[in-house]
Amino acid sequence: MMMKQIFILLTVVFSAVLSALPGDMVLESGPYKVHFAQKHFYASSQYFFKGIEIGNRGGFYGTIFASSPNKFVGSGHSEGGKEKILSLKLVCDGREMKVEPKSFNGKKLEFTKISMLNNLQVTAKITITPENIIIDKSFEAVAPQQYYSMYVFQFCWSTALDKWMICRPNGTFGDGVFKSNRGWFLRGKEPEIRYWALYNSKAQKGILGFFSKYFPQQGSYLLWDHTAYHKFYFWAKNPKNLAKGYKSPAYQLVLKGIDVAPDKWLNAVKTQGEILEKRYPMPEPPRKIELFKQGIKLSGNGKFLYRKEQIPLSNAKKYTVSLEIKKSGEVSPKAWHNYVLVGHHDLNRKFRSFATLASRIKADGKWHTQKVTFTTPEKVFESSIIFYNCNSKGDVEIRNVVIEREASK
């Protein structure tokens, strides 16, 4: 017990030394303290929970945009241009304060920054209360803008945080241990995440990040197991070419501290996740989904060829799916080589089909209309529609795909 107390005391003292940098604006409420670096256009630069450093100064936070590979702009990046601040606003317990490098303490601190990243006007707001930290972000294109990537949320979590976990929208979980070996987690393997958490086993503290305005296919996720930090990235999915006036979705992340013993941390995160799920329920999937009005072509290459599109479907609902399909050339005569499936991957990651279409359509070079109805199970996980053209040298073309939920009575 004595060694544990000494460790926590030394951690707090060391973190305090690290945080004492000129040019910082410090916002503190309850157990949370966040530093903002003036030299990085007032992007956050360090996070504390109950005196323990959770996010360190090993790298950049803030919003980072790239119009093309490695052309980054925002926070400490200037390879693709320089961030331009349009306005800064700080409200402390209802009273507007001057934004400057000093410390502010209150029950509710709201800091809003509007800045330009190339042709994108980005609004970032962070709200800090004793309960949690909420970060809101969105952007609008004030002129046409090529879009390659945008790190909407990125955090340089301390290397002292040695464990991680995620919860997927389908209710399943994943977890792991950091080794600080420059490895990667989540990269390309986790298409959807509802919330995530990192944990410091020695200090018995951690942080949970909850996507409170989550929507399917919102973006991509990554954990970098670096030697300087354990960095979390979320980059948003948007069109490659943004027209003037384009407005992004509203992105919101809730950060909540974890204070629990190592053998209980996973359950504590899950319990907190359930509470946040009730407070911020996932959006109802759209009633009607339309795909490929202009059509797509799967040109056979003699191998296993398919195209998969994620489609958000409601639990226990009746749907109709319709499409037009044309098969031509040397298409495989086997029905399961060039058909269409609608289904989902269950908890065991096994694909379960809801509907099958076009398995008996001939390769006559003509368009055929297919339409079937199906009912989803009580719990839908990662649902999708998959188009196949396997072991063929001919073509399969699809257009005007419509998946529509039956109206509630």
mmCIF file of all heavy atoms in Angstrom, residues 288-297 307 309 322-324 367 387 397-403:
data_model
loop_
_atom_site.group_PDB
_atom_site.id
_atom_site.type_symbol
_atom_site.label_atom_id
_atom_site.label_comp_id
_atom_site.label_asym_id
_atom_site.label_seq_id
_atom_site.Cartn_x
_atom_site.Cartn_y
_atom_site.Cartn_z
ATOM 1 N N LYS A 288 -35.347 3.932 -45.855
ATOM 2 C CA LYS A 288 -35.078 3.574 -47.238
ATOM 3 C C LYS A 288 -33.618 3.812 -47.573
ATOM 4 O O LYS A 288 -33.076 4.874 -47.299
ATOM 5 C CB LYS A 288 -35.971 4.392 -48.173
ATOM 6 C CG LYS A 288 -35.932 3.985 -49.635
ATOM 7 C CD LYS A 288 -36.934 4.814 -50.430
ATOM 8 C CE LYS A 288 -36.992 4.388 -51.885
ATOM 9 N NZ LYS A 288 -37.987 5.194 -52.659
ATOM 10 N N ILE A 289 -32.972 2.803 -48.160
ATOM 11 C CA ILE A 289 -31.577 2.892 -48.571
ATOM 12 C C ILE A 289 -31.517 2.654 -50.076
ATOM 13 O O ILE A 289 -32.034 1.657 -50.576
ATOM 14 C CB ILE A 289 -30.717 1.841 -47.841
ATOM 15 C CG1 ILE A 289 -30.810 2.026 -46.323
ATOM 16 C CG2 ILE A 289 -29.264 1.918 -48.304
ATOM 17 C CD1 ILE A 289 -30.197 0.893 -45.533
ATOM 18 N N GLU A 290 -30.883 3.571 -50.782
ATOM 19 C CA GLU A 290 -30.754 3.445 -52.231
ATOM 20 C C GLU A 290 -29.282 3.404 -52.613
ATOM 21 O O GLU A 290 -28.491 4.231 -52.157
ATOM 22 C CB GLU A 290 -31.446 4.618 -52.935
ATOM 23 C CG GLU A 290 -32.953 4.655 -52.700
ATOM 24 C CD GLU A 290 -33.621 5.824 -53.388
ATOM 25 O OE1 GLU A 290 -33.551 6.947 -52.842
ATOM 26 O OE2 GLU A 290 -34.202 5.624 -54.465
ATOM 27 N N LEU A 291 -28.921 2.436 -53.462
ATOM 28 C CA LEU A 291 -27.530 2.256 -53.876
ATOM 29 C C LEU A 291 -27.441 2.114 -55.395
ATOM 30 O O LEU A 291 -28.342 1.561 -56.029
ATOM 31 C CB LEU A 291 -26.940 0.996 -53.234
ATOM 32 C CG LEU A 291 -26.943 0.892 -51.702
ATOM 33 C CD1 LEU A 291 -26.534 -0.510 -51.280
ATOM 34 C CD2 LEU A 291 -26.012 1.927 -51.093
ATOM 35 N N PHE A 292 -26.353 2.597 -55.945
ATOM 36 C CA PHE A 292 -25.954 2.342 -57.328
ATOM 37 C C PHE A 292 -27.010 2.738 -58.369
ATOM 38 O O PHE A 292 -27.371 1.948 -59.238
ATOM 39 C CB PHE A 292 -25.572 0.866 -57.516
ATOM 40 C CG PHE A 292 -24.637 0.334 -56.486
ATOM 41 C CD1 PHE A 292 -24.927 -0.837 -55.801
ATOM 42 C CD2 PHE A 292 -23.473 1.021 -56.163
ATOM 43 C CE1 PHE A 292 -24.069 -1.323 -54.829
ATOM 44 C CE2 PHE A 292 -22.610 0.539 -55.191
ATOM 45 C CZ PHE A 292 -22.910 -0.633 -54.529
ATOM 46 N N LYS A 293 -27.482 3.965 -58.284
ATOM 47 C CA LYS A 293 -28.410 4.448 -59.313
ATOM 48 C C LYS A 293 -27.741 4.473 -60.684
ATOM 49 O O LYS A 293 -28.404 4.278 -61.704
ATOM 50 C CB LYS A 293 -28.901 5.852 -58.944
ATOM 51 C CG LYS A 293 -29.854 5.886 -57.762
ATOM 52 C CD LYS A 293 -30.378 7.297 -57.523
ATOM 53 C CE LYS A 293 -31.378 7.317 -56.379
ATOM 54 N NZ LYS A 293 -31.925 8.686 -56.150
ATOM 55 N N GLN A 294 -26.439 4.731 -60.692
ATOM 56 C CA GLN A 294 -25.693 4.759 -61.946
ATOM 57 C C GLN A 294 -25.154 3.386 -62.335
ATOM 58 O O GLN A 294 -24.632 3.215 -63.432
ATOM 59 C CB GLN A 294 -24.529 5.755 -61.835
ATOM 60 C CG GLN A 294 -24.941 7.163 -61.450
ATOM 61 C CD GLN A 294 -25.921 7.761 -62.428
ATOM 62 O OE1 GLN A 294 -25.759 7.635 -63.650
ATOM 63 N NE2 GLN A 294 -26.951 8.424 -61.905
ATOM 64 N N GLY A 295 -25.277 2.435 -61.436
ATOM 65 C CA GLY A 295 -24.852 1.069 -61.729
ATOM 66 C C GLY A 295 -23.396 0.787 -61.389
ATOM 67 O O GLY A 295 -22.562 1.689 -61.332
ATOM 68 N N ILE A 296 -23.109 -0.480 -61.148
ATOM 69 C CA ILE A 296 -21.739 -0.959 -60.942
ATOM 70 C C ILE A 296 -21.539 -2.210 -61.782
ATOM 71 O O ILE A 296 -22.503 -2.895 -62.157
ATOM 72 C CB ILE A 296 -21.449 -1.283 -59.462
ATOM 73 C CG1 ILE A 296 -22.406 -2.380 -58.938
ATOM 74 C CG2 ILE A 296 -21.506 -0.046 -58.609
ATOM 75 C CD1 ILE A 296 -21.980 -2.961 -57.610
ATOM 76 N N LYS A 297 -20.302 -2.505 -62.094
ATOM 77 C CA LYS A 297 -19.980 -3.695 -62.889
ATOM 78 C C LYS A 297 -18.902 -4.503 -62.177
ATOM 79 O O LYS A 297 -17.867 -3.954 -61.774
ATOM 80 C CB LYS A 297 -19.497 -3.315 -64.279
ATOM 81 C CG LYS A 297 -19.108 -4.521 -65.157
ATOM 82 C CD LYS A 297 -18.465 -4.090 -66.454
ATOM 83 C CE LYS A 297 -19.490 -3.559 -67.425
ATOM 84 N NZ LYS A 297 -18.894 -3.315 -68.783
ATOM 85 N N ARG A 307 -18.393 -7.592 -54.081
ATOM 86 C CA ARG A 307 -18.437 -6.229 -53.564
ATOM 87 C C ARG A 307 -19.411 -6.203 -52.403
ATOM 88 O O ARG A 307 -20.541 -6.677 -52.520
ATOM 89 C CB ARG A 307 -18.862 -5.222 -54.627
ATOM 90 C CG ARG A 307 -19.014 -3.806 -54.060
ATOM 91 C CD ARG A 307 -18.874 -2.757 -55.086
ATOM 92 N NE ARG A 307 -19.118 -1.419 -54.540
ATOM 93 C CZ ARG A 307 -18.946 -0.311 -55.217
ATOM 94 N NH1 ARG A 307 -18.525 -0.357 -56.483
ATOM 95 N NH2 ARG A 307 -19.196 0.865 -54.661
ATOM 96 N N GLU A 309 -21.338 -3.913 -49.360
ATOM 97 C CA GLU A 309 -21.759 -2.596 -48.911
ATOM 98 C C GLU A 309 -22.470 -2.735 -47.562
ATOM 99 O O GLU A 309 -23.419 -3.516 -47.434
ATOM 100 C CB GLU A 309 -22.720 -1.948 -49.914
ATOM 101 C CG GLU A 309 -22.086 -1.618 -51.240
ATOM 102 C CD GLU A 309 -21.117 -0.460 -51.163
ATOM 103 O OE1 GLU A 309 -21.350 0.464 -50.350
ATOM 104 O OE2 GLU A 309 -20.121 -0.471 -51.917
ATOM 105 N N SER A 322 -35.060 -4.643 -53.672
ATOM 106 C CA SER A 322 -35.243 -4.782 -55.113
ATOM 107 C C SER A 322 -34.005 -4.262 -55.825
ATOM 108 O O SER A 322 -33.283 -3.403 -55.301
ATOM 109 C CB SER A 322 -36.478 -4.017 -55.583
ATOM 110 O OG SER A 322 -36.345 -2.632 -55.320
ATOM 111 N N LEU A 323 -33.757 -4.789 -57.017
ATOM 112 C CA LEU A 323 -32.607 -4.362 -57.802
ATOM 113 C C LEU A 323 -32.773 -4.814 -59.240
ATOM 114 O O LEU A 323 -33.623 -5.647 -59.563
ATOM 115 C CB LEU A 323 -31.308 -4.917 -57.213
ATOM 116 C CG LEU A 323 -31.185 -6.437 -57.021
ATOM 117 C CD1 LEU A 323 -30.761 -7.158 -58.303
ATOM 118 C CD2 LEU A 323 -30.188 -6.759 -55.917
ATOM 119 N N GLU A 324 -31.926 -4.267 -60.103
ATOM 120 C CA GLU A 324 -31.834 -4.711 -61.484
ATOM 121 C C GLU A 324 -30.455 -5.313 -61.685
ATOM 122 O O GLU A 324 -29.456 -4.754 -61.214
ATOM 123 C CB GLU A 324 -32.040 -3.538 -62.441
ATOM 124 C CG GLU A 324 -33.441 -2.937 -62.399
ATOM 125 C CD GLU A 324 -33.565 -1.746 -63.318
ATOM 126 O OE1 GLU A 324 -33.594 -1.944 -64.548
ATOM 127 O OE2 GLU A 324 -33.620 -0.613 -62.797
ATOM 128 N N TRP A 367 -31.288 -6.873 -68.808
ATOM 129 C CA TRP A 367 -31.574 -6.452 -67.447
ATOM 130 C C TRP A 367 -32.784 -7.214 -66.908
ATOM 131 O O TRP A 367 -33.794 -7.370 -67.599
ATOM 132 C CB TRP A 367 -31.856 -4.954 -67.377
ATOM 133 C CG TRP A 367 -30.626 -4.113 -67.521
ATOM 134 C CD1 TRP A 367 -30.225 -3.424 -68.628
ATOM 135 C CD2 TRP A 367 -29.635 -3.882 -66.517
ATOM 136 N NE1 TRP A 367 -29.042 -2.770 -68.391
ATOM 137 C CE2 TRP A 367 -28.659 -3.034 -67.099
ATOM 138 C CE3 TRP A 367 -29.460 -4.305 -65.203
ATOM 139 C CZ2 TRP A 367 -27.527 -2.599 -66.406
ATOM 140 C CZ3 TRP A 367 -28.341 -3.862 -64.509
ATOM 141 C CH2 TRP A 367 -27.392 -3.029 -65.097
ATOM 142 N N PHE A 387 -22.528 -8.554 -53.394
ATOM 143 C CA PHE A 387 -22.716 -8.917 -54.792
ATOM 144 C C PHE A 387 -21.535 -9.790 -55.221
ATOM 145 O O PHE A 387 -20.376 -9.410 -55.035
ATOM 146 C CB PHE A 387 -22.776 -7.660 -55.663
ATOM 147 C CG PHE A 387 -23.764 -6.630 -55.165
ATOM 148 C CD1 PHE A 387 -23.349 -5.628 -54.295
ATOM 149 C CD2 PHE A 387 -25.087 -6.673 -55.542
ATOM 150 C CE1 PHE A 387 -24.234 -4.683 -53.825
ATOM 151 C CE2 PHE A 387 -25.987 -5.725 -55.079
ATOM 152 C CZ PHE A 387 -25.566 -4.730 -54.221
ATOM 153 N N GLU A 397 -23.597 -6.910 -63.761
ATOM 154 C CA GLU A 397 -23.874 -5.497 -63.525
ATOM 155 C C GLU A 397 -25.119 -5.355 -62.654
ATOM 156 O O GLU A 397 -26.076 -6.120 -62.801
ATOM 157 C CB GLU A 397 -24.084 -4.760 -64.848
ATOM 158 C CG GLU A 397 -22.851 -4.763 -65.738
ATOM 159 C CD GLU A 397 -23.098 -4.078 -67.069
ATOM 160 O OE1 GLU A 397 -23.317 -2.848 -67.060
ATOM 161 O OE2 GLU A 397 -23.085 -4.770 -68.105
ATOM 162 N N ILE A 398 -25.078 -4.373 -61.749
ATOM 163 C CA ILE A 398 -26.192 -4.138 -60.824
ATOM 164 C C ILE A 398 -26.508 -2.652 -60.805
ATOM 165 O O ILE A 398 -25.599 -1.815 -60.849
ATOM 166 C CB ILE A 398 -25.847 -4.616 -59.392
ATOM 167 C CG1 ILE A 398 -25.511 -6.115 -59.373
ATOM 168 C CG2 ILE A 398 -27.001 -4.331 -58.434
ATOM 169 C CD1 ILE A 398 -24.043 -6.406 -59.299
ATOM 170 N N ARG A 399 -27.796 -2.323 -60.711
ATOM 171 C CA ARG A 399 -28.192 -0.923 -60.597
ATOM 172 C C ARG A 399 -29.505 -0.822 -59.836
ATOM 173 O O ARG A 399 -30.225 -1.812 -59.657
ATOM 174 C CB ARG A 399 -28.315 -0.276 -61.972
ATOM 175 C CG ARG A 399 -29.485 -0.783 -62.814
ATOM 176 C CD ARG A 399 -29.461 -0.196 -64.207
ATOM 177 N NE ARG A 399 -30.650 -0.618 -64.972
ATOM 178 C CZ ARG A 399 -30.816 -0.419 -66.279
ATOM 179 N NH1 ARG A 399 -29.842 0.186 -66.977
ATOM 180 N NH2 ARG A 399 -31.924 -0.826 -66.878
ATOM 181 N N ASN A 400 -29.798 0.387 -59.383
ATOM 182 C CA ASN A 400 -31.075 0.699 -58.728
ATOM 183 C C ASN A 400 -31.420 -0.267 -57.584
ATOM 184 O O ASN A 400 -32.489 -0.868 -57.551
ATOM 185 C CB ASN A 400 -32.205 0.725 -59.753
ATOM 186 C CG ASN A 400 -32.035 1.837 -60.770
ATOM 187 O OD1 ASN A 400 -31.533 2.909 -60.437
ATOM 188 N ND2 ASN A 400 -32.433 1.592 -62.006
ATOM 189 N N VAL A 401 -30.483 -0.382 -56.642
ATOM 190 C CA VAL A 401 -30.724 -1.218 -55.463
ATOM 191 C C VAL A 401 -31.499 -0.395 -54.432
ATOM 192 O O VAL A 401 -31.084 0.714 -54.075
ATOM 193 C CB VAL A 401 -29.397 -1.716 -54.854
ATOM 194 C CG1 VAL A 401 -29.671 -2.575 -53.619
ATOM 195 C CG2 VAL A 401 -28.588 -2.482 -55.888
ATOM 196 N N VAL A 402 -32.615 -0.937 -53.963
ATOM 197 C CA VAL A 402 -33.436 -0.252 -52.963
ATOM 198 C C VAL A 402 -33.764 -1.224 -51.842
ATOM 199 O O VAL A 402 -34.307 -2.303 -52.088
ATOM 200 C CB VAL A 402 -34.743 0.298 -53.569
ATOM 201 C CG1 VAL A 402 -35.580 0.973 -52.484
ATOM 202 C CG2 VAL A 402 -34.448 1.267 -54.709
ATOM 203 N N ILE A 403 -33.407 -0.858 -50.608
ATOM 204 C CA ILE A 403 -33.776 -1.644 -49.420
ATOM 205 C C ILE A 403 -34.696 -0.768 -48.590
ATOM 206 O O ILE A 403 -34.279 0.306 -48.136
ATOM 207 C CB ILE A 403 -32.535 -2.062 -48.604
ATOM 208 C CG1 ILE A 403 -31.552 -2.832 -49.479
ATOM 209 C CG2 ILE A 403 -32.947 -2.916 -47.412
ATOM 210 C CD1 ILE A 403 -30.326 -2.052 -49.872
#
